[in-house]
Amino acid sequence: MKNFIVCWLLLGLITSTKAQSTQVRTITGTVTEQTSRSPLPGVVVGIKGMNKGTTTDVKGNYSIEVPTGATQLVFSFVGYRTQEVAIGNRQTIDVALAPDAQALSEVVVTGYKTQAKRSITGSVATIGSQPRLYRPQSTPSTESYKATEETGFQEVRQQPVTTFSADVDRASYSNIRRLLNNGQRPPKDAVRLEEMINYFSYQYPQPAGEAPVSITTELTESPWNSGLQLLRVGLQARRVKNDQLPPSNLVFLLDVSGSMDAPNKLPLVQASLNLLVDQLRPVDRVAIVVYAGAAGLVLPPTPGNQPQRIKDAINQLQAGGSTAGGAGIQLAYKVAMDNLISNGNNRVILATDGDFNVGISGQGELQRLIEQEREKGIFLSVLGFGMGNLKDANLETLADKGNGNYAYIDNLPEARKVFIHEFGGTLFTVAKDVKLQLEFNPTYVKAYRLLGYENRRLANEDFKNDQKDAGDLGAGHSVTALYELIPAGAKSKYLPKTDSLKYQTFVDTKASTQSGELLTLKVRYKQPADSVSQQLQHVVKTQTVSFDRATADFRFAAAVAEFGLLLSESAYKGSARYGQVVKLAKGALTDDSEGYRSEFVRLVKTASGLTSSGEVVDEEKND
């Protein structure tokens, strides 16, 4: 009996000691920039001496579970001095990081280490027991971007009609953010103005009636070209509650080749898809296809009410081998077709750095395959990951041909934005083949220029051609386009120099001279299951407002556009300056619950320090 009591006491002591040793508490806080006090998203927050960590969200906030015995938190971010902060008894630890020019030569990467049970948890990549800094490799970057040629002003008397496809891709902005955070100025061809502008949400009204989209227009002064006007055109797709969305048949097509063997590639893919899995419903199904030297089915179609089974299949993946992208796509489409849901959301989600080098690697052959499957009702969305090897042009083309969207995931907060905040828009199409056509009135407009959309331009005769593919809108998505206008009678250095026509004369109609109409906007779209398009029409009057009286959304979109003009070194940037971009953006920080607009201001300041012109944003003048 005495021995039993002793054993019982020892067992209780051991259990109590074990419980104390594994006891954790949650520490929260905010990380800001020391000079401006702006929030810093993507900061690596680790526990010194332990393989555990997290990153700050877009508002600079973090939350981390700290076990008993931990003494210090480590805060590290590209371009800033790493700080080690004593934990003590505090529940909240706020940190302000100071800039460090020398640190810009290092790239801080958050890794996701595979544990013994094959579950993946967010953690700081480590060497031994210390947080790890990944330095740029000595091999040159093989990133590639499609060359774009900026479009100039078109004279209305010569070309009154302009047509283009909707574009809801946002990859360019998050890729630019990644480059700037790494202390690099983005290549000109990486800057797509329309994707920068459309990265942000705007308060457009919901559609009324049966149409799946609403139309909003606004006219003001150009803030970078005096005497010119700026026109905003906005489309808003109908929002649909998640529980009202059609069932999904999803096939994750995951690149596990050797090029994905980096902490910001396959591990980030796994963490991102885990977020998506948490949004699934019992009616949704997920299959997983992987490709490296060969393609294979890792997980057969599995209902969304078995999230752990899906996550286990994701988390056990490892990278290695060459890239049989073509073979992987073929298998993914076969799995999707074998499990096709009538009137459902049938979609392949490709996650890769875009390095296709084995199998169906010819662009033409790949595009034809994707187009054929699109006609069968299976769409393709593309997620780009990593740096140094990103094939941006390849990924954008695949998504365009597949009636899907292209996103670049540079960190876990961006994955949350794509898969949680924009879940419906990312996965569910409400209007396909969306085209816009504007006819300008020469009585009031001398010339016009569409900002961005260089690879979305359409011939005017394509507008009513239902065989011509165009961009799609997901549930809740919006599309914003900006035109810069030269008013009739105005003088501008940008006016095209053309000879007058010898055999034609222009006769102004009553509609052009007496209607007060600036332009007529037409929008064509198809319902997701239809092959015949429908048309909406919207007339824009000549009324304009001064820039300071324009809506906050318009002023912010203009600031983003001006930033893009500077990054791309546009021939039409006029008096654009980084300081003015910051001023405009700061004056339009409304509806910023997720902190994306504040983050934009920080990126502009970062870019100003990397410019060859030497312009540095003056904090005092712009606060």
Side-chain angles (χ1 to χ4, degrees), residues 578-604:
Y578 288 101
Q580 177 170 275
V581 174
V582 169
K583 181 179 180 180
L584 297 182
K586 280 191 169 183
L589 293 181
T590 58
D591 188 35
D592 194 31
S593 59
E594 298 298 331
Y596 299 125
R597 295 191 180 191
S598 298
E599 179 192 50
F600 170 78
V601 173
R602 182 184 63 79
L603 288 178
V604 176

PDB file of all heavy atoms in Angstrom, residues 578-604:
ATOM      1  N   TYR A 578       6.799  60.784 -56.340  1.00  0.00           N
ATOM      2  CA  TYR A 578       6.506  59.867 -55.236  1.00  0.00           C
ATOM      3  C   TYR A 578       5.864  60.607 -54.073  1.00  0.00           C
ATOM      4  O   TYR A 578       4.952  60.083 -53.421  1.00  0.00           O
ATOM      5  CB  TYR A 578       7.791  59.157 -54.777  1.00  0.00           C
ATOM      6  CG  TYR A 578       8.290  58.133 -55.764  1.00  0.00           C
ATOM      7  CD1 TYR A 578       9.346  58.427 -56.635  1.00  0.00           C
ATOM      8  CD2 TYR A 578       7.709  56.866 -55.839  1.00  0.00           C
ATOM      9  CE1 TYR A 578       9.798  57.498 -57.548  1.00  0.00           C
ATOM     10  CE2 TYR A 578       8.163  55.923 -56.749  1.00  0.00           C
ATOM     11  CZ  TYR A 578       9.206  56.241 -57.599  1.00  0.00           C
ATOM     12  OH  TYR A 578       9.645  55.315 -58.515  1.00  0.00           O
ATOM     13  N   GLY A 579       6.350  61.813 -53.813  1.00  0.00           N
ATOM     14  CA  GLY A 579       5.762  62.588 -52.718  1.00  0.00           C
ATOM     15  C   GLY A 579       4.297  62.873 -52.945  1.00  0.00           C
ATOM     16  O   GLY A 579       3.484  62.839 -52.009  1.00  0.00           O
ATOM     17  N   GLN A 580       3.923  63.168 -54.191  1.00  0.00           N
ATOM     18  CA  GLN A 580       2.519  63.431 -54.495  1.00  0.00           C
ATOM     19  C   GLN A 580       1.692  62.152 -54.348  1.00  0.00           C
ATOM     20  O   GLN A 580       0.554  62.185 -53.875  1.00  0.00           O
ATOM     21  CB  GLN A 580       2.372  63.980 -55.918  1.00  0.00           C
ATOM     22  CG  GLN A 580       0.917  64.198 -56.324  1.00  0.00           C
ATOM     23  CD  GLN A 580       0.771  64.955 -57.627  1.00  0.00           C
ATOM     24  OE1 GLN A 580       0.789  66.182 -57.625  1.00  0.00           O
ATOM     25  NE2 GLN A 580       0.639  64.224 -58.741  1.00  0.00           N
ATOM     26  N   VAL A 581       2.255  60.990 -54.756  1.00  0.00           N
ATOM     27  CA  VAL A 581       1.540  59.723 -54.597  1.00  0.00           C
ATOM     28  C   VAL A 581       1.203  59.488 -53.129  1.00  0.00           C
ATOM     29  O   VAL A 581       0.079  59.123 -52.777  1.00  0.00           O
ATOM     30  CB  VAL A 581       2.371  58.549 -55.151  1.00  0.00           C
ATOM     31  CG1 VAL A 581       1.679  57.217 -54.848  1.00  0.00           C
ATOM     32  CG2 VAL A 581       2.583  58.697 -56.648  1.00  0.00           C
ATOM     33  N   VAL A 582       2.189  59.699 -52.256  1.00  0.00           N
ATOM     34  CA  VAL A 582       1.971  59.505 -50.818  1.00  0.00           C
ATOM     35  C   VAL A 582       0.891  60.456 -50.309  1.00  0.00           C
ATOM     36  O   VAL A 582      -0.004  60.060 -49.551  1.00  0.00           O
ATOM     37  CB  VAL A 582       3.285  59.710 -50.035  1.00  0.00           C
ATOM     38  CG1 VAL A 582       3.019  59.770 -48.532  1.00  0.00           C
ATOM     39  CG2 VAL A 582       4.267  58.594 -50.348  1.00  0.00           C
ATOM     40  N   LYS A 583       0.954  61.705 -50.741  1.00  0.00           N
ATOM     41  CA  LYS A 583      -0.029  62.695 -50.291  1.00  0.00           C
ATOM     42  C   LYS A 583      -1.439  62.301 -50.730  1.00  0.00           C
ATOM     43  O   LYS A 583      -2.393  62.347 -49.939  1.00  0.00           O
ATOM     44  CB  LYS A 583       0.333  64.066 -50.846  1.00  0.00           C
ATOM     45  CG  LYS A 583      -0.612  65.173 -50.412  1.00  0.00           C
ATOM     46  CD  LYS A 583      -0.180  66.520 -50.977  1.00  0.00           C
ATOM     47  CE  LYS A 583      -1.136  67.637 -50.552  1.00  0.00           C
ATOM     48  NZ  LYS A 583      -0.725  68.957 -51.109  1.00  0.00           N
ATOM     49  N   LEU A 584      -1.583  61.903 -52.000  1.00  0.00           N
ATOM     50  CA  LEU A 584      -2.895  61.508 -52.502  1.00  0.00           C
ATOM     51  C   LEU A 584      -3.420  60.276 -51.773  1.00  0.00           C
ATOM     52  O   LEU A 584      -4.593  60.203 -51.412  1.00  0.00           O
ATOM     53  CB  LEU A 584      -2.830  61.233 -54.003  1.00  0.00           C
ATOM     54  CG  LEU A 584      -2.470  62.411 -54.920  1.00  0.00           C
ATOM     55  CD1 LEU A 584      -2.492  61.966 -56.376  1.00  0.00           C
ATOM     56  CD2 LEU A 584      -3.426  63.573 -54.706  1.00  0.00           C
ATOM     57  N   ALA A 585      -2.549  59.301 -51.589  1.00  0.00           N
ATOM     58  CA  ALA A 585      -2.980  58.055 -50.949  1.00  0.00           C
ATOM     59  C   ALA A 585      -3.355  58.281 -49.489  1.00  0.00           C
ATOM     60  O   ALA A 585      -4.354  57.746 -48.995  1.00  0.00           O
ATOM     61  CB  ALA A 585      -1.879  57.001 -51.061  1.00  0.00           C
ATOM     62  N   LYS A 586      -2.574  59.086 -48.784  1.00  0.00           N
ATOM     63  CA  LYS A 586      -2.870  59.354 -47.380  1.00  0.00           C
ATOM     64  C   LYS A 586      -4.195  60.096 -47.220  1.00  0.00           C
ATOM     65  O   LYS A 586      -4.858  59.968 -46.181  1.00  0.00           O
ATOM     66  CB  LYS A 586      -1.741  60.162 -46.737  1.00  0.00           C
ATOM     67  CG  LYS A 586      -0.538  59.324 -46.328  1.00  0.00           C
ATOM     68  CD  LYS A 586       0.415  60.145 -45.473  1.00  0.00           C
ATOM     69  CE  LYS A 586       1.484  59.274 -44.836  1.00  0.00           C
ATOM     70  NZ  LYS A 586       2.372  60.046 -43.938  1.00  0.00           N
ATOM     71  N   GLY A 587      -4.569  60.855 -48.227  1.00  0.00           N
ATOM     72  CA  GLY A 587      -5.835  61.565 -48.164  1.00  0.00           C
ATOM     73  C   GLY A 587      -7.020  60.701 -48.537  1.00  0.00           C
ATOM     74  O   GLY A 587      -8.157  61.184 -48.575  1.00  0.00           O
ATOM     75  N   ALA A 588      -6.768  59.417 -48.818  1.00  0.00           N
ATOM     76  CA  ALA A 588      -7.848  58.519 -49.238  1.00  0.00           C
ATOM     77  C   ALA A 588      -7.736  57.164 -48.541  1.00  0.00           C
ATOM     78  O   ALA A 588      -7.969  56.123 -49.141  1.00  0.00           O
ATOM     79  CB  ALA A 588      -7.800  58.340 -50.758  1.00  0.00           C
ATOM     80  N   LEU A 589      -7.395  57.175 -47.256  1.00  0.00           N
ATOM     81  CA  LEU A 589      -7.224  55.930 -46.512  1.00  0.00           C
ATOM     82  C   LEU A 589      -8.523  55.457 -45.867  1.00  0.00           C
ATOM     83  O   LEU A 589      -8.513  54.862 -44.785  1.00  0.00           O
ATOM     84  CB  LEU A 589      -6.137  56.096 -45.434  1.00  0.00           C
ATOM     85  CG  LEU A 589      -4.716  56.307 -45.952  1.00  0.00           C
ATOM     86  CD1 LEU A 589      -3.734  56.433 -44.786  1.00  0.00           C
ATOM     87  CD2 LEU A 589      -4.292  55.171 -46.870  1.00  0.00           C
ATOM     88  N   THR A 590      -9.643  55.712 -46.528  1.00  0.00           N
ATOM     89  CA  THR A 590     -10.924  55.229 -46.016  1.00  0.00           C
ATOM     90  C   THR A 590     -11.090  53.761 -46.374  1.00  0.00           C
ATOM     91  O   THR A 590     -10.392  53.234 -47.241  1.00  0.00           O
ATOM     92  CB  THR A 590     -12.075  56.031 -46.634  1.00  0.00           C
ATOM     93  OG1 THR A 590     -11.998  55.912 -48.064  1.00  0.00           O
ATOM     94  CG2 THR A 590     -11.972  57.494 -46.255  1.00  0.00           C
ATOM     95  N   ASP A 591     -12.006  53.087 -45.703  1.00  0.00           N
ATOM     96  CA  ASP A 591     -12.288  51.681 -45.988  1.00  0.00           C
ATOM     97  C   ASP A 591     -11.005  50.858 -46.032  1.00  0.00           C
ATOM     98  O   ASP A 591     -10.742  50.139 -47.001  1.00  0.00           O
ATOM     99  CB  ASP A 591     -13.052  51.548 -47.302  1.00  0.00           C
ATOM    100  CG  ASP A 591     -13.531  50.120 -47.552  1.00  0.00           C
ATOM    101  OD1 ASP A 591     -13.879  49.446 -46.569  1.00  0.00           O
ATOM    102  OD2 ASP A 591     -13.544  49.688 -48.711  1.00  0.00           O
ATOM    103  N   ASP A 592     -10.200  50.976 -44.988  1.00  0.00           N
ATOM    104  CA  ASP A 592      -8.903  50.282 -44.947  1.00  0.00           C
ATOM    105  C   ASP A 592      -8.842  49.336 -43.762  1.00  0.00           C
ATOM    106  O   ASP A 592      -7.868  49.313 -43.014  1.00  0.00           O
ATOM    107  CB  ASP A 592      -7.776  51.314 -44.881  1.00  0.00           C
ATOM    108  CG  ASP A 592      -6.410  50.706 -45.189  1.00  0.00           C
ATOM    109  OD1 ASP A 592      -6.354  49.750 -45.985  1.00  0.00           O
ATOM    110  OD2 ASP A 592      -5.407  51.178 -44.623  1.00  0.00           O
ATOM    111  N   SER A 593      -9.905  48.555 -43.576  1.00  0.00           N
ATOM    112  CA  SER A 593      -9.990  47.678 -42.410  1.00  0.00           C
ATOM    113  C   SER A 593      -8.885  46.625 -42.379  1.00  0.00           C
ATOM    114  O   SER A 593      -8.474  46.183 -41.309  1.00  0.00           O
ATOM    115  CB  SER A 593     -11.360  46.986 -42.372  1.00  0.00           C
ATOM    116  OG  SER A 593     -11.569  46.230 -43.553  1.00  0.00           O
ATOM    117  N   GLU A 594      -8.384  46.220 -43.549  1.00  0.00           N
ATOM    118  CA  GLU A 594      -7.328  45.218 -43.607  1.00  0.00           C
ATOM    119  C   GLU A 594      -5.934  45.837 -43.708  1.00  0.00           C
ATOM    120  O   GLU A 594      -4.939  45.116 -43.701  1.00  0.00           O
ATOM    121  CB  GLU A 594      -7.559  44.278 -44.792  1.00  0.00           C
ATOM    122  CG  GLU A 594      -8.853  43.491 -44.718  1.00  0.00           C
ATOM    123  CD  GLU A 594      -8.913  42.557 -43.517  1.00  0.00           C
ATOM    124  OE1 GLU A 594      -7.838  42.105 -43.078  1.00  0.00           O
ATOM    125  OE2 GLU A 594     -10.017  42.293 -43.012  1.00  0.00           O
ATOM    126  N   GLY A 595      -5.861  47.158 -43.833  1.00  0.00           N
ATOM    127  CA  GLY A 595      -4.565  47.830 -43.842  1.00  0.00           C
ATOM    128  C   GLY A 595      -3.836  47.822 -45.173  1.00  0.00           C
ATOM    129  O   GLY A 595      -2.665  48.209 -45.250  1.00  0.00           O
ATOM    130  N   TYR A 596      -4.501  47.433 -46.273  1.00  0.00           N
ATOM    131  CA  TYR A 596      -3.817  47.348 -47.557  1.00  0.00           C
ATOM    132  C   TYR A 596      -3.409  48.718 -48.089  1.00  0.00           C
ATOM    133  O   TYR A 596      -2.349  48.872 -48.709  1.00  0.00           O
ATOM    134  CB  TYR A 596      -4.706  46.646 -48.585  1.00  0.00           C
ATOM    135  CG  TYR A 596      -5.060  45.219 -48.212  1.00  0.00           C
ATOM    136  CD1 TYR A 596      -6.391  44.806 -48.151  1.00  0.00           C
ATOM    137  CD2 TYR A 596      -4.068  44.297 -47.910  1.00  0.00           C
ATOM    138  CE1 TYR A 596      -6.721  43.511 -47.804  1.00  0.00           C
ATOM    139  CE2 TYR A 596      -4.388  42.997 -47.560  1.00  0.00           C
ATOM    140  CZ  TYR A 596      -5.718  42.609 -47.508  1.00  0.00           C
ATOM    141  OH  TYR A 596      -6.033  41.323 -47.157  1.00  0.00           O
ATOM    142  N   ARG A 597      -4.247  49.722 -47.861  1.00  0.00           N
ATOM    143  CA  ARG A 597      -3.925  51.059 -48.360  1.00  0.00           C
ATOM    144  C   ARG A 597      -2.762  51.667 -47.573  1.00  0.00           C
ATOM    145  O   ARG A 597      -1.897  52.340 -48.150  1.00  0.00           O
ATOM    146  CB  ARG A 597      -5.160  51.960 -48.303  1.00  0.00           C
ATOM    147  CG  ARG A 597      -6.279  51.498 -49.230  1.00  0.00           C
ATOM    148  CD  ARG A 597      -7.400  52.521 -49.374  1.00  0.00           C
ATOM    149  NE  ARG A 597      -8.449  52.045 -50.272  1.00  0.00           N
ATOM    150  CZ  ARG A 597      -9.433  52.771 -50.759  1.00  0.00           C
ATOM    151  NH1 ARG A 597      -9.528  54.054 -50.394  1.00  0.00           N
ATOM    152  NH2 ARG A 597     -10.339  52.264 -51.570  1.00  0.00           N
ATOM    153  N   SER A 598      -2.732  51.441 -46.271  1.00  0.00           N
ATOM    154  CA  SER A 598      -1.603  51.929 -45.469  1.00  0.00           C
ATOM    155  C   SER A 598      -0.311  51.243 -45.893  1.00  0.00           C
ATOM    156  O   SER A 598       0.752  51.870 -45.946  1.00  0.00           O
ATOM    157  CB  SER A 598      -1.868  51.677 -43.986  1.00  0.00           C
ATOM    158  OG  SER A 598      -3.013  52.373 -43.547  1.00  0.00           O
ATOM    159  N   GLU A 599      -0.403  49.972 -46.195  1.00  0.00           N
ATOM    160  CA  GLU A 599       0.774  49.244 -46.686  1.00  0.00           C
ATOM    161  C   GLU A 599       1.259  49.846 -48.002  1.00  0.00           C
ATOM    162  O   GLU A 599       2.469  49.955 -48.248  1.00  0.00           O
ATOM    163  CB  GLU A 599       0.433  47.774 -46.883  1.00  0.00           C
ATOM    164  CG  GLU A 599       1.598  46.943 -47.413  1.00  0.00           C
ATOM    165  CD  GLU A 599       1.160  45.564 -47.882  1.00  0.00           C
ATOM    166  OE1 GLU A 599       0.185  45.470 -48.652  1.00  0.00           O
ATOM    167  OE2 GLU A 599       1.806  44.579 -47.483  1.00  0.00           O
ATOM    168  N   PHE A 600       0.332  50.258 -48.860  1.00  0.00           N
ATOM    169  CA  PHE A 600       0.697  50.875 -50.129  1.00  0.00           C
ATOM    170  C   PHE A 600       1.539  52.125 -49.899  1.00  0.00           C
ATOM    171  O   PHE A 600       2.555  52.337 -50.583  1.00  0.00           O
ATOM    172  CB  PHE A 600      -0.570  51.226 -50.913  1.00  0.00           C
ATOM    173  CG  PHE A 600      -0.318  52.082 -52.131  1.00  0.00           C
ATOM    174  CD1 PHE A 600       0.165  51.530 -53.296  1.00  0.00           C
ATOM    175  CD2 PHE A 600      -0.579  53.455 -52.090  1.00  0.00           C
ATOM    176  CE1 PHE A 600       0.398  52.330 -54.421  1.00  0.00           C
ATOM    177  CE2 PHE A 600      -0.345  54.249 -53.203  1.00  0.00           C
ATOM    178  CZ  PHE A 600       0.147  53.693 -54.368  1.00  0.00           C
ATOM    179  N   VAL A 601       1.151  52.947 -48.935  1.00  0.00           N
ATOM    180  CA  VAL A 601       1.916  54.164 -48.632  1.00  0.00           C
ATOM    181  C   VAL A 601       3.344  53.804 -48.255  1.00  0.00           C
ATOM    182  O   VAL A 601       4.307  54.440 -48.716  1.00  0.00           O
ATOM    183  CB  VAL A 601       1.234  54.963 -47.505  1.00  0.00           C
ATOM    184  CG1 VAL A 601       2.112  56.133 -47.056  1.00  0.00           C
ATOM    185  CG2 VAL A 601      -0.134  55.468 -47.953  1.00  0.00           C
ATOM    186  N   ARG A 602       3.507  52.753 -47.458  1.00  0.00           N
ATOM    187  CA  ARG A 602       4.857  52.339 -47.064  1.00  0.00           C
ATOM    188  C   ARG A 602       5.667  51.882 -48.271  1.00  0.00           C
ATOM    189  O   ARG A 602       6.857  52.195 -48.387  1.00  0.00           O
ATOM    190  CB  ARG A 602       4.775  51.209 -46.035  1.00  0.00           C
ATOM    191  CG  ARG A 602       6.133  50.739 -45.528  1.00  0.00           C
ATOM    192  CD  ARG A 602       6.016  49.555 -44.581  1.00  0.00           C
ATOM    193  NE  ARG A 602       5.459  48.374 -45.222  1.00  0.00           N
ATOM    194  CZ  ARG A 602       6.173  47.554 -46.007  1.00  0.00           C
ATOM    195  NH1 ARG A 602       7.439  47.816 -46.271  1.00  0.00           N
ATOM    196  NH2 ARG A 602       5.601  46.488 -46.537  1.00  0.00           N
ATOM    197  N   LEU A 603       5.032  51.160 -49.187  1.00  0.00           N
ATOM    198  CA  LEU A 603       5.741  50.686 -50.377  1.00  0.00           C
ATOM    199  C   LEU A 603       6.195  51.846 -51.259  1.00  0.00           C
ATOM    200  O   LEU A 603       7.283  51.808 -51.839  1.00  0.00           O
ATOM    201  CB  LEU A 603       4.849  49.743 -51.179  1.00  0.00           C
ATOM    202  CG  LEU A 603       4.605  48.357 -50.591  1.00  0.00           C
ATOM    203  CD1 LEU A 603       3.671  47.566 -51.485  1.00  0.00           C
ATOM    204  CD2 LEU A 603       5.912  47.602 -50.401  1.00  0.00           C
ATOM    205  N   VAL A 604       5.364  52.878 -51.367  1.00  0.00           N
ATOM    206  CA  VAL A 604       5.744  54.051 -52.170  1.00  0.00           C
ATOM    207  C   VAL A 604       6.986  54.701 -51.563  1.00  0.00           C
ATOM    208  O   VAL A 604       7.915  55.096 -52.287  1.00  0.00           O
ATOM    209  CB  VAL A 604       4.586  55.052 -52.256  1.00  0.00           C
ATOM    210  CG1 VAL A 604       5.021  56.302 -53.016  1.00  0.00           C
ATOM    211  CG2 VAL A 604       3.379  54.423 -52.948  1.00  0.00           C
TER     212      VAL A 604
END
